[in-house]
Short mmCIF file of all heavy atoms in Angstrom, two decimals:
data_model
loop_
_atom_site.label_atom_id
_atom_site.label_comp_id
_atom_site.label_asym_id
_atom_site.label_seq_id
_atom_site.Cartn_x
_atom_site.Cartn_y
_atom_site.Cartn_z
N ARG A 136 16.30 5.45 6.32
CA ARG A 136 17.60 6.13 6.42
C ARG A 136 18.41 5.94 5.14
O ARG A 136 19.10 6.86 4.68
CB ARG A 136 18.37 5.62 7.63
CG ARG A 136 17.84 6.13 8.96
CD ARG A 136 18.81 5.87 10.09
NE ARG A 136 18.93 4.45 10.40
CZ ARG A 136 18.18 3.83 11.29
NH1 ARG A 136 17.26 4.51 11.98
NH2 ARG A 136 18.34 2.55 11.53
N ALA A 137 18.35 4.73 4.57
CA ALA A 137 19.07 4.48 3.31
C ALA A 137 18.53 5.35 2.19
O ALA A 137 19.30 5.91 1.39
CB ALA A 137 18.96 3.00 2.93
N ILE A 138 17.21 5.50 2.15
CA ILE A 138 16.60 6.34 1.12
C ILE A 138 16.94 7.80 1.36
O ILE A 138 17.12 8.58 0.41
CB ILE A 138 15.07 6.11 1.08
CG1 ILE A 138 14.78 4.71 0.54
CG2 ILE A 138 14.38 7.15 0.20
CD1 ILE A 138 13.33 4.29 0.63
N GLY A 139 17.09 8.20 2.63
CA GLY A 139 17.53 9.56 2.94
C GLY A 139 18.93 9.82 2.41
O GLY A 139 19.22 10.88 1.85
N ALA A 140 19.82 8.82 2.58
CA ALA A 140 21.17 8.95 2.04
C ALA A 140 21.13 9.01 0.51
O ALA A 140 21.87 9.77 -0.12
CB ALA A 140 22.03 7.76 2.49
N TRP A 141 20.26 8.21 -0.07
CA TRP A 141 20.07 8.21 -1.53
C TRP A 141 19.64 9.60 -2.00
O TRP A 141 20.16 10.15 -2.97
CB TRP A 141 19.00 7.17 -1.85
CG TRP A 141 18.40 7.15 -3.20
CD1 TRP A 141 17.30 7.82 -3.62
CD2 TRP A 141 18.85 6.39 -4.33
NE1 TRP A 141 17.02 7.52 -4.93
CE2 TRP A 141 17.95 6.64 -5.39
CE3 TRP A 141 19.90 5.51 -4.55
CZ2 TRP A 141 18.08 6.06 -6.64
CZ3 TRP A 141 20.03 4.92 -5.80
CH2 TRP A 141 19.13 5.20 -6.83
N GLY A 142 18.70 10.21 -1.25
CA GLY A 142 18.25 11.54 -1.60
C GLY A 142 19.34 12.59 -1.44
O GLY A 142 19.38 13.58 -2.18
N ALA A 143 20.24 12.37 -0.46
CA ALA A 143 21.33 13.32 -0.25
C ALA A 143 22.26 13.38 -1.46
O ALA A 143 22.88 14.41 -1.72
CB ALA A 143 22.13 12.94 1.00
N VAL A 144 22.34 12.28 -2.19
CA VAL A 144 23.19 12.25 -3.39
C VAL A 144 22.68 13.25 -4.42
O VAL A 144 23.47 13.87 -5.14
CB VAL A 144 23.25 10.82 -3.98
CG1 VAL A 144 24.00 10.81 -5.30
CG2 VAL A 144 23.91 9.88 -2.99
N VAL A 145 21.36 13.42 -4.50
CA VAL A 145 20.80 14.43 -5.39
C VAL A 145 21.29 15.81 -4.98
O VAL A 145 21.65 16.65 -5.81
CB VAL A 145 19.25 14.38 -5.39
CG1 VAL A 145 18.67 15.47 -6.27
CG2 VAL A 145 18.77 13.01 -5.84
N GLY A 146 21.34 16.05 -3.65
CA GLY A 146 21.87 17.31 -3.17
C GLY A 146 23.34 17.50 -3.51
O GLY A 146 23.78 18.60 -3.87
N ILE A 147 24.11 16.42 -3.38
CA ILE A 147 25.53 16.48 -3.74
C ILE A 147 25.68 16.85 -5.22
O ILE A 147 26.50 17.69 -5.59
CB ILE A 147 26.22 15.14 -3.45
CG1 ILE A 147 26.27 14.89 -1.94
CG2 ILE A 147 27.63 15.12 -4.03
CD1 ILE A 147 26.77 13.51 -1.57
N SER A 148 24.87 16.21 -6.06
CA SER A 148 24.96 16.49 -7.50
C SER A 148 24.56 17.92 -7.80
O SER A 148 25.13 18.57 -8.68
CB SER A 148 24.07 15.52 -8.29
OG SER A 148 22.71 15.80 -8.09
N MET A 149 23.57 18.45 -7.05
CA MET A 149 23.17 19.83 -7.25
C MET A 149 24.25 20.81 -6.81
O MET A 149 24.47 21.85 -7.43
CB MET A 149 21.87 20.11 -6.49
CG MET A 149 20.65 19.57 -7.17
SD MET A 149 19.17 20.25 -6.45
CE MET A 149 17.96 19.69 -7.63
N ALA A 150 24.93 20.45 -5.71
CA ALA A 150 25.99 21.32 -5.22
C ALA A 150 27.22 21.26 -6.11
O ALA A 150 27.82 22.28 -6.45
CB ALA A 150 26.35 20.94 -3.78
N ALA A 151 27.61 20.04 -6.48
CA ALA A 151 28.83 19.86 -7.26
C ALA A 151 28.63 20.13 -8.74
O ALA A 151 29.52 20.65 -9.41
CB ALA A 151 29.36 18.44 -7.06
N GLY A 152 27.44 19.78 -9.27
CA GLY A 152 27.19 19.89 -10.70
C GLY A 152 27.43 21.26 -11.29
O GLY A 152 28.23 21.42 -12.22
N PRO A 153 26.78 22.32 -10.76
CA PRO A 153 26.99 23.65 -11.33
C PRO A 153 28.45 24.11 -11.23
O PRO A 153 28.96 24.74 -12.15
CB PRO A 153 26.06 24.52 -10.48
CG PRO A 153 25.01 23.61 -10.00
CD PRO A 153 25.70 22.31 -9.76
N LEU A 154 29.12 23.80 -10.10
CA LEU A 154 30.51 24.23 -9.95
C LEU A 154 31.43 23.46 -10.89
O LEU A 154 32.26 24.05 -11.59
CB LEU A 154 30.96 24.02 -8.50
CG LEU A 154 30.30 24.92 -7.45
CD1 LEU A 154 30.79 24.56 -6.06
CD2 LEU A 154 30.60 26.38 -7.74
N VAL A 155 31.29 22.14 -10.89
CA VAL A 155 32.12 21.32 -11.78
C VAL A 155 31.83 21.67 -13.23
O VAL A 155 32.75 21.82 -14.05
CB VAL A 155 31.87 19.82 -11.51
CG1 VAL A 155 32.59 18.95 -12.54
CG2 VAL A 155 32.32 19.43 -10.11
N GLY A 156 30.54 21.81 -13.55
CA GLY A 156 30.17 22.17 -14.92
C GLY A 156 30.72 23.53 -15.32
O GLY A 156 31.23 23.70 -16.43
N GLY A 157 30.61 24.50 -14.41
CA GLY A 157 31.13 25.83 -14.71
C GLY A 157 32.62 25.82 -14.96
O GLY A 157 33.11 26.44 -15.92
N LEU A 158 33.36 25.10 -14.12
CA LEU A 158 34.82 25.00 -14.30
C LEU A 158 35.17 24.33 -15.63
O LEU A 158 36.05 24.81 -16.36
CB LEU A 158 35.43 24.21 -13.15
CG LEU A 158 35.59 24.94 -11.81
CD1 LEU A 158 35.97 23.97 -10.71
CD2 LEU A 158 36.65 26.04 -11.95
N LEU A 159 34.48 23.25 -15.94
CA LEU A 159 34.78 22.51 -17.17
C LEU A 159 34.42 23.33 -18.42
O LEU A 159 35.17 23.36 -19.40
CB LEU A 159 34.04 21.17 -17.19
CG LEU A 159 34.55 20.11 -16.21
CD1 LEU A 159 33.63 18.90 -16.21
CD2 LEU A 159 35.97 19.69 -16.57
N VAL A 160 33.25 23.98 -18.39
CA VAL A 160 32.82 24.76 -19.55
C VAL A 160 33.79 25.91 -19.82
O VAL A 160 34.15 26.19 -20.97
CB VAL A 160 31.38 25.30 -19.34
CG1 VAL A 160 31.02 26.31 -20.42
CG2 VAL A 160 30.38 24.14 -19.36
N GLU A 161 34.22 26.58 -18.75
CA GLU A 161 35.13 27.72 -18.93
C GLU A 161 36.54 27.30 -19.33
O GLU A 161 37.20 27.96 -20.12
CB GLU A 161 35.18 28.54 -17.65
CG GLU A 161 33.95 29.40 -17.44
CD GLU A 161 34.16 30.45 -16.36
OE1 GLU A 161 35.30 30.89 -16.18
OE2 GLU A 161 33.18 30.81 -15.70
N SER A 162 37.02 26.18 -18.76
CA SER A 162 38.42 25.81 -18.98
C SER A 162 38.62 24.92 -20.20
O SER A 162 39.63 25.04 -20.90
CB SER A 162 38.97 25.11 -17.74
OG SER A 162 38.22 23.94 -17.45
N VAL A 163 37.68 24.02 -20.46
CA VAL A 163 37.86 23.04 -21.54
C VAL A 163 36.79 23.18 -22.62
O VAL A 163 37.07 23.03 -23.80
CB VAL A 163 37.85 21.59 -20.98
CG1 VAL A 163 38.16 20.59 -22.09
CG2 VAL A 163 38.84 21.44 -19.83
N GLY A 164 35.54 23.47 -22.21
CA GLY A 164 34.43 23.53 -23.16
C GLY A 164 33.30 22.62 -22.73
O GLY A 164 33.48 21.74 -21.89
N TRP A 165 32.12 22.84 -23.30
CA TRP A 165 30.95 22.11 -22.84
C TRP A 165 31.03 20.61 -23.08
O TRP A 165 30.40 19.82 -22.37
CB TRP A 165 29.68 22.67 -23.48
CG TRP A 165 29.57 22.49 -24.98
CD1 TRP A 165 29.91 23.40 -25.93
CD2 TRP A 165 29.10 21.33 -25.68
NE1 TRP A 165 29.67 22.90 -27.18
CE2 TRP A 165 29.17 21.62 -27.06
CE3 TRP A 165 28.61 20.09 -25.29
CZ2 TRP A 165 28.79 20.71 -28.04
CZ3 TRP A 165 28.23 19.18 -26.26
CH2 TRP A 165 28.32 19.49 -27.62
N ARG A 166 31.81 20.17 -24.06
CA ARG A 166 31.90 18.73 -24.32
C ARG A 166 32.50 17.97 -23.14
O ARG A 166 32.19 16.79 -22.93
CB ARG A 166 32.74 18.49 -25.58
CG ARG A 166 32.12 19.05 -26.84
CD ARG A 166 32.98 18.84 -28.07
NE ARG A 166 32.42 19.53 -29.22
CZ ARG A 166 31.44 19.03 -29.98
NH1 ARG A 166 30.94 17.85 -29.69
NH2 ARG A 166 30.96 19.72 -30.99
N SER A 167 33.33 18.64 -22.37
CA SER A 167 34.01 17.96 -21.25
C SER A 167 33.06 17.59 -20.12
O SER A 167 33.41 16.78 -19.26
CB SER A 167 35.13 18.85 -20.71
OG SER A 167 34.62 20.06 -20.19
N ILE A 168 31.84 18.17 -20.11
CA ILE A 168 30.92 17.85 -19.01
C ILE A 168 30.51 16.39 -19.02
O ILE A 168 30.10 15.84 -18.00
CB ILE A 168 29.66 18.75 -19.03
CG1 ILE A 168 28.81 18.47 -20.28
CG2 ILE A 168 30.05 20.22 -18.94
CD1 ILE A 168 27.49 19.19 -20.29
N PHE A 169 30.61 15.75 -20.19
CA PHE A 169 30.23 14.34 -20.28
C PHE A 169 31.36 13.41 -19.88
O PHE A 169 31.15 12.22 -19.65
CB PHE A 169 29.76 14.02 -21.70
CG PHE A 169 28.53 14.78 -22.12
CD1 PHE A 169 28.62 15.85 -22.99
CD2 PHE A 169 27.28 14.44 -21.62
CE1 PHE A 169 27.49 16.57 -23.37
CE2 PHE A 169 26.14 15.15 -21.99
CZ PHE A 169 26.24 16.21 -22.87
N TRP A 170 32.58 13.94 -19.79
CA TRP A 170 33.72 13.08 -19.45
C TRP A 170 33.68 12.62 -18.00
O TRP A 170 34.21 11.56 -17.67
CB TRP A 170 35.03 13.83 -19.71
CG TRP A 170 35.24 14.23 -21.13
CD1 TRP A 170 34.54 13.77 -22.23
CD2 TRP A 170 36.17 15.18 -21.64
NE1 TRP A 170 35.00 14.38 -23.37
CE2 TRP A 170 36.00 15.25 -23.05
CE3 TRP A 170 37.15 15.98 -21.05
CZ2 TRP A 170 36.76 16.08 -23.86
CZ3 TRP A 170 37.91 16.81 -21.85
CH2 TRP A 170 37.72 16.86 -23.24
N ILE A 171 33.09 13.43 -17.12
CA ILE A 171 33.10 13.08 -15.70
C ILE A 171 32.30 11.81 -15.40
O ILE A 171 32.46 11.21 -14.34
CB ILE A 171 32.58 14.24 -14.83
CG1 ILE A 171 31.16 14.64 -15.24
CG2 ILE A 171 33.51 15.43 -14.88
CD1 ILE A 171 30.58 15.74 -14.38
N ASN A 172 31.43 11.40 -16.34
CA ASN A 172 30.68 10.16 -16.13
C ASN A 172 31.55 8.92 -16.29
O ASN A 172 31.20 7.85 -15.78
CB ASN A 172 29.51 10.07 -17.13
CG ASN A 172 28.49 11.17 -16.93
OD1 ASN A 172 28.30 11.65 -15.82
ND2 ASN A 172 27.84 11.59 -18.00
N LEU A 173 32.66 9.05 -16.99
CA LEU A 173 33.47 7.87 -17.31
C LEU A 173 34.11 7.23 -16.08
O LEU A 173 33.92 6.02 -15.86
CB LEU A 173 34.54 8.23 -18.35
CG LEU A 173 34.04 8.88 -19.65
CD1 LEU A 173 35.20 9.03 -20.64
CD2 LEU A 173 32.93 8.05 -20.28
N PRO A 174 34.89 7.96 -15.26
CA PRO A 174 35.51 7.30 -14.11
C PRO A 174 34.51 6.77 -13.10
O PRO A 174 34.68 5.67 -12.56
CB PRO A 174 36.41 8.39 -13.51
CG PRO A 174 35.86 9.67 -14.01
CD PRO A 174 35.30 9.37 -15.36
N VAL A 175 33.43 7.55 -12.85
CA VAL A 175 32.42 7.09 -11.88
C VAL A 175 31.69 5.87 -12.41
O VAL A 175 31.46 4.89 -11.68
CB VAL A 175 31.43 8.23 -11.56
CG1 VAL A 175 30.40 7.76 -10.53
CG2 VAL A 175 32.16 9.45 -11.04
N GLY A 176 31.33 5.90 -13.70
CA GLY A 176 30.63 4.76 -14.29
C GLY A 176 31.47 3.49 -14.28
O GLY A 176 30.97 2.40 -13.95
N LEU A 177 32.73 3.60 -14.62
CA LEU A 177 33.62 2.43 -14.64
C LEU A 177 33.84 1.89 -13.23
O LEU A 177 33.84 0.67 -13.01
CB LEU A 177 34.94 2.79 -15.30
CG LEU A 177 34.90 3.05 -16.81
CD1 LEU A 177 36.24 3.54 -17.31
CD2 LEU A 177 34.48 1.78 -17.56
N ALA A 178 34.04 2.79 -12.25
CA ALA A 178 34.23 2.35 -10.87
C ALA A 178 32.99 1.64 -10.35
O ALA A 178 33.08 0.57 -9.71
CB ALA A 178 34.56 3.55 -9.99
N ALA A 179 31.81 2.20 -10.62
CA ALA A 179 30.56 1.57 -10.19
C ALA A 179 30.38 0.20 -10.83
O ALA A 179 29.92 -0.75 -10.19
CB ALA A 179 29.37 2.47 -10.52
N LEU A 180 30.78 0.07 -12.11
CA LEU A 180 30.66 -1.20 -12.81
C LEU A 180 31.52 -2.28 -12.15
O LEU A 180 31.06 -3.40 -11.90
CB LEU A 180 31.06 -1.01 -14.27
CG LEU A 180 30.97 -2.24 -15.18
CD1 LEU A 180 29.53 -2.72 -15.29
CD2 LEU A 180 31.54 -1.93 -16.56
N LEU A 181 32.78 -1.95 -11.86
CA LEU A 181 33.69 -2.92 -11.25
C LEU A 181 33.25 -3.29 -9.84
O LEU A 181 33.31 -4.47 -9.44
CB LEU A 181 35.11 -2.35 -11.24
CG LEU A 181 35.76 -2.13 -12.61
CD1 LEU A 181 37.11 -1.43 -12.46
CD2 LEU A 181 35.92 -3.45 -13.35
#
Side-chain angles (χ1 to χ4, degrees):
R136 286 193 291 269
I138 291 172
W141 168 270
V144 174
V145 178
I147 293 172
S148 71
M149 283 193 170
L154 292 177
V155 173
L158 283 170
L159 289 173
V160 170
E161 284 194 30
S162 60
V163 185
W165 66 263
R166 296 178 187 278
S167 62
I168 66 174
F169 297 105
W170 299 346
I171 57 178
N172 296 330
L173 305 186
V175 181
L177 290 174
L180 181 63
L181 295 174

